[in-house]
Amino acid sequence: MKEKQMVLRCLNCGTKNRIPEERLHNRPLCGKCGARLDEMIIRCLSCGTKNRMPENRLDSLPLCGKCGTALVVTGNQEGSPIDVTDSTFNREVLSSPGAVLVDCWAPWCGPAGP
């Protein structure tokens, strides 16, 4: 039986690496440059900076290297309102894995009366 394989792109050199599925948890290396293939890039929800992060550090609540904001949303932060702009709408709303409630408003538009 043919073993399942995944293709992982190296974040260091861009090379596509074919890795057997059972080797994914053994921290595989890129065949070209030797970089670890278990790293991911997490975009900071506060400042938008891309942060390179090994998968095994996600449980340690990593912080953004630029602004210091938590990169992983924990249970007590879920449901907190955030400001969304035209430039962050795709990332914050359309790419969200769960349900999103959007409250659209403008400073010049007051609340509706009873």
Side-chain angles (χ1 to χ4, degrees):
M1 178 183 238
K2 190 174 181 181
E3 61 185 22
K4 290 185 180 181
Q5 294 187 342
M6 295 185 70
V7 175
L8 300 176
R9 183 179 296 274
C10 177
L11 296 177
N12 189 45
C13 69
T15 301
K16 292 180 182 177
N17 294 270
R18 191 173 303 274
I19 305 294
E21 196 171 271
E22 65 270 1
R23 284 196 45 224
L24 286 178
H25 299 292
N26 295 338
R27 302 197 72 201
L29 301 175
C30 174
K32 183 175 181 181
C33 71
R36 296 276 177 203
L37 294 175
D38 66 342
E39 291 185 338
M40 56 185 67
I41 293 180
I42 302 174
R43 186 182 295 270
C44 177
L45 296 177
S46 181
C47 70
T49 299
K50 295 178 182 178
N51 294 268
R52 189 179 303 257
M53 186 68 47
E55 187 177 1
N56 62 354
R57 285 207 44 227
L58 291 178
D59 293 333
S60 65
L61 302 176
L63 303 177
C64 174
K66 183 175 182 181
C67 71
T69 303
L71 293 174
V72 178
V73 177
T74 59
N76 61 357
Q77 293 175 329
E78 287 182 15
S80 298
I82 58 172
D83 290 329
V84 177
T85 64
D86 289 342
S87 63
T88 63
F89 186 81
N90 285 342
R91 181 176 72 233
E92 302 294 342
V93 178
L94 299 180
S95 299
S96 178
V100 176
L101 174 66
V102 178
D103 181 14
C104 299
W105 68 277
W108 48 263
C109 181

